[in-house]
Structures are given as structure tokens and as C-alpha cells.
Amino acid sequence: MSLSFDSITQLFKSHPALRLLRAENAPLILSFFDRAFIQPNIRYISQSNLASMLDDMLYRIRDAEGQDAFPRSAQSYLDDWSHNDRGWLRRFYPHSSDEPHYDLAPSVEKTMTWIESLSARAFVGTESRLLTIFELLRQMVLGAEEDAETRITELEKKKKQLDDEIAAIRRGELEIMDQTALRDRFMQFSAMARELLSDFRTVDHNFRQLDGRVREKIAAWDGSKGALLEEIFGERDAITGSDQGRSFRAFWDFLMAPQSQDELTALIEKVFALDAIAGFSEEFRLKRIHFDWLDAGEHTQRTVANLSSQLRRYLDNRVYLENKRIMGILDSISTSALSTKMNVPQGDFMSVEDSSAEIRLPMERRMYSSTQQGHIPALVQDADGADIDYQALLDQTYVDRSVLLSNIKKELNESGQIPLHSLLKRYPISRGLAELIAYISIASESPFSVFDEERRELVEWRTASGVIMRAYIPYIILNRSGNDGAR
């Protein structure tokens, strides 16, 4: 972000945290929020309880500062702080509750953390933060290293350091961390623990913003339901698969592991038992910080579950309204049909092209088979001029296709399909090669016939002079169609 004059001016006008710092009642607001939300680590409070707490605080302030201090009622202040122009409190109705509740805005919690950092600290640690920086850099470099040998070398260095440390301890050379180093690391632990706790409100806020955008899309959507659901789930997958979503999932899985909880509890108890930490009595809440993390994380999980449930109900309501509209249309059609039944119009008022659908099953279609191309010589030899007998061309045999079609239809009506060579055994060829070619032609004209070019069948017939003729033909299966017999 560029810190230009215009951007800073706009930020002072729009950002809730900066508006809070400029508010006249900022000391009252910040101190009350800290007492009501931050110190007890409460995620949301009912309106009656929060107003009662503010009443008690206003009574003490007026008793010390005078009755003119903060003259408005507690409920009036809460309404003002939760107004959209302020944005310091979020006012909402939880599931199965008729009473409004209040939650602290993430920007306000960050403002309070920054104000707390302004107070003078007796001890400012730098060593632990520098070591943390070095450790983070090492993890990034080693984690992104693709060379196996380089990784093995780094691990060997760590192994050697551990072996040297173990050997030094066995020799009695035990290095004890001094009190300054312990306090330094404890201060860093305190800051990171509190910052992590405040981040849960930001995660809740992001999920609620996502839910608001989804509801806006649903309200203005004019496409199909499938596209709408794809858009919604895409947005939810985007926030789940984002860096923040993956980091939160990894954090929650680690924290929910029983061994992690036991180890964390034991470590915190041992740290607070150290003499160097005895002076940090104001940090007593850190003893149960991991339980605060669990409460905040569980609240975030419930928030996501509630948003999903509300979105489902919202979609169900839209589906109900759409179904209601469809039923209204169907009812109007039924009403029109009944009125037409009682008063039938004269003449034709409706026409239907076909009374039934023509059904063709997929398995009735002929599978594709490549055709074999015949080779025709390009050179034609000239005749030798001898006398040629043309009588053979004039003595042609007439083949009646209707008779052949009748034979095919008769057999298909009985069996549904029949190979061509079986048909020719039942109806022997009497017209020679022309009749065989006619049968093959009829089969090729039908879309339900099957030709197997890889398989050959032998067909025989006897001529008028008693000569047996033989021909090899492809394996042909004649099939009956679903409508009118043989085709």
C-alpha cells in the first residue's frame, strides 16, 4: 500500500480502527472492549449482559468524574458503536436465539493490540526474535531445496551438532540459559500467543464476508442452478485452498492432536515454574492460552458450519419459491384444460405430427467397417480383331428382387437375424451369380445388416447345365429392424 496523501485521507474516513482512534469517547470504548472481550477471551456477548457490564462501568466513571461524564445510556452507546458508520461491534442474532449478540470487530482488536504496544516496557527482547528470523529462513531454504545431496548435507550438520551437544552434556558441560534469555523468549511467546488469538476474529470476519458475497450472487443470479452451485462451491474452495485457509487447517489439526495438547500443557507449566518468569505475574492468562486457542478455533468452526447451514436454507427457500411458481403454471394449465373440456372449440385446435415416436435401439445400428478398394489396371489391351460371340451378353437372367425380399422377410420374422449363407441354403440360388449379387445388394441397402470383411464364406450353386459354381463372399448377417421387418 502506498502511503500517499489521498490514500491516508481515505483510510482515515473509511477504516473503523482509525475512526475509533479519532472518536471523542475512545478511552471509554477501548477500556470497555478490553474488559468485556479481550481479558476474559469472550467471542460474543448477549445484549443484556453487555449492556449490564457497560452500565456498571459508566456508574463507576460517573462516580469519579461527575454525573455529566458520558450522559447517554448504555444501550444507546451500544447501538452507536454497532452502527454501520462505526463498525466497532458486530450485532447479530445467533442460531436459535431471539436476543441480539455483539462481537468485537477484528480491526478494533488490532487497534487495541497496537495501543498496548505503545506502553513502555521494562524489557525489550531482541535475541529471540533474531533467532526466530534465522530459523524461519533456514526452514524456507531447506524446505524449497530440491537437491537431495544438499538436504542430506544440512541434516548431517544438524546431526553433528546434536552429537556434539550430547557429548558435552555427558562430560558435564551443561549450558544453562540465563534469566535474560529466558525473559526474552517469554516476551516473544506472549506476543505471538496473543496475536494468534486475535487472528481468529479475522478468520471469522473473512468467512462472513464470503457468505455475504455468495448471498448477493444468489439474489442477483439469472443463470442455471448448476452454474450457481459451481460458482458458490468454487468460492468456498478458493478460501479453503488459500494460504490462510491451509494455514488455519494445519494449525487446527496440530492443536487438536491429543499429544500436542498434552505436550503444550506440560511445557507451559514448566515455563511458569521458572524463577526468571516469576516477575511476569500479569501474564497469568498465558497459562491457559492453549485452551483459549481451542475455544476460539471451535467458535470459528461453528461459524463456518452455521454459515453453510444458513446458505443451505437460503437455497432451499429459493427452490421452494421456484417450485411454487411452476405449480402455479401447472394449475393454470389444468384450469384452462377443464374449461376447454366443457366448451370444446369447433374444428381442429391442435395438431400432432406423429402419434408415436420411432424407436431405434443403439445396438440395431450397423458398426462401421472400412470398404476394400478394388484394383483396376490402368492399361487396357487392344483386341486382336478376332470374331467375338456377343450372344452371352444378350442371354441375361432376370432376378425378381421382390421374391428375394420376401424370402429375407420371412426368415427374419421367425428368427430376428440370419447369416446370408444360411439363407441361401434354405433358398438355393437358381438365377446364378446375378441372384447372389442381388442378395448382397439388398443387404448393403439395409442399415441393420452387418458385413464382416475379415471373414469369408463359401457359397455354391448349380447351373442349368449341371456345373457347380463356387464364390467366396464376406460374412453377412441380415437383421430385422424395430418397425417394419426387414429393411
Side-chain angles (χ1 to χ4, degrees), residues 186-434:
F186 182 80
M187 292 300 295
Q188 185 183 4
F189 157 70
S190 175
M192 294 179 64
R194 294 180 182 276
E195 183 180 359
L196 181 60
L197 188 61
S198 66
D199 287 342
F200 281 102
R201 276 196 171 88
T202 303
V203 175
D204 286 346
H205 178 70
N206 291 343
F207 276 113
R208 285 193 298 270
Q209 283 188 330
L210 170 64
D211 183 72
R213 292 196 302 268
V214 169
R215 289 174 184 270
E216 290 176 1
K217 285 186 176 181
I218 294 175
W221 191 263
D222 57 353
S224 63
K225 292 181 182 178
L228 174 60
L229 293 177
E230 182 179 0
E231 184 76 15
I232 292 173
F233 292 132
E235 292 240 12
R236 288 194 174 273
D237 292 340
I239 194 170
T240 304
S242 63
D243 294 339
Q244 176 178 269
R246 289 196 298 266
S247 178
F248 176 75
R249 172 54 57 187
F251 161 79
W252 183 249
D253 292 341
F254 178 79
L255 189 61
M256 288 300 295
Q259 60 271 21
S260 300
Q261 297 180 19
D262 296 339
E263 182 181 4
L264 193 57
T265 301
L267 290 174
I268 292 177
E269 291 178 354
K270 290 181 179 179
V271 166
F272 275 92
L274 298 174
D275 295 335
I277 312 300
F280 296 94
S281 59
E282 69 278 3
E283 302 289 347
F284 70 95
R285 284 203 59 83
L286 291 177
K287 291 183 179 180
R288 62 181 311 275
I289 189 65
H290 51 306
F291 297 112
D292 293 341
W293 290 341
L294 287 173
D295 293 340
E298 185 179 357
H299 176 75
T300 301
Q301 297 284 12
R302 286 199 303 269
T303 298
V304 176
N306 290 336
L307 291 178
S308 300
S309 177
Q310 293 173 9
L311 180 61
R312 174 61 184 270
R313 290 196 299 271
Y314 189 68
L315 289 173
D316 289 343
N317 290 336
R318 288 184 60 86
V319 172
Y320 168 76
L321 294 176
E322 185 174 352
N323 291 338
K324 185 177 180 181
R325 182 182 66 85
I326 294 174
M327 292 303 298
I329 296 175
L330 294 178
D331 290 341
S332 65
I333 295 175
S334 300
T335 303
S336 301
L338 290 175
S339 62
T340 304
K341 177 180 178 182
M342 302 303 297
N343 186 15
V344 179
Q346 298 297 327
D348 297 334
F349 65 93
M350 179 179 293
S351 61
V352 179
E353 294 183 359
D354 295 321
S355 59
S356 63
E358 182 180 358
I359 301 176
R360 291 187 179 182
L361 299 178
M363 298 304 297
E364 294 179 348
R365 299 179 182 177
R366 184 178 62 182
M367 299 182 65
Y368 171 78
S369 59
S370 59
T371 58
Q372 295 182 352
Q373 300 293 334
H375 177 70
I376 301 176
L379 299 177
V380 179
Q381 297 180 355
D382 295 334
D384 54 2
D387 293 336
I388 299 175
D389 184 10
Y390 297 100
Q391 188 62 36
L393 296 177
L394 299 176
D395 295 337
Q396 297 295 323
T397 303
Y398 173 73
V399 177
D400 190 354
R401 287 174 58 93
S402 62
V403 175
L404 304 186
L405 284 172
S406 177
N407 296 338
I408 295 174
K409 184 176 294 186
K410 182 178 179 181
E411 293 298 323
L412 291 182
N413 286 336
E414 295 178 358
S415 60
Q417 69 175 15
I418 186 173
L420 180 58
H421 69 276
S422 299
L423 178 68
L424 296 179
K425 290 180 179 179
R426 298 184 183 183
Y427 301 95
I429 297 176
S430 58
R431 299 292 181 177
L433 182 61

Side-chain angles (χ1 to χ4, degrees), residues 106-173:
S107 57
V108 175
E109 188 169 4
K110 292 184 179 297
T111 303
M112 299 173 68
T113 303
W114 176 73
I115 291 177
E116 185 179 0
S117 67
L118 296 179
S119 60
R121 289 180 292 175
F123 178 79
V124 178
T126 55
E127 179 192 4
S128 61
R129 283 181 284 180
L130 181 61
L131 294 177
T132 302
I133 291 174
F134 269 96
E135 183 61 27
L136 291 175
L137 292 175
R138 291 193 188 100
Q139 291 178 6
M140 287 189 290
V141 172
L142 186 60
E145 181 59 56
E146 299 180 356
D147 187 10
E149 293 298 329
T150 304
R151 285 200 172 192
I152 293 175
T153 302
E154 293 295 329
L155 293 175
E156 290 290 345
K157 290 181 181 179
K158 290 183 179 180
K159 180 181 177 181
K160 185 177 183 305
Q161 292 176 358
L162 292 175
D163 292 339
D164 295 342
E165 186 175 353
I166 293 173
I169 293 175
R170 288 176 177 173
R171 292 194 303 267
E173 301 174 2

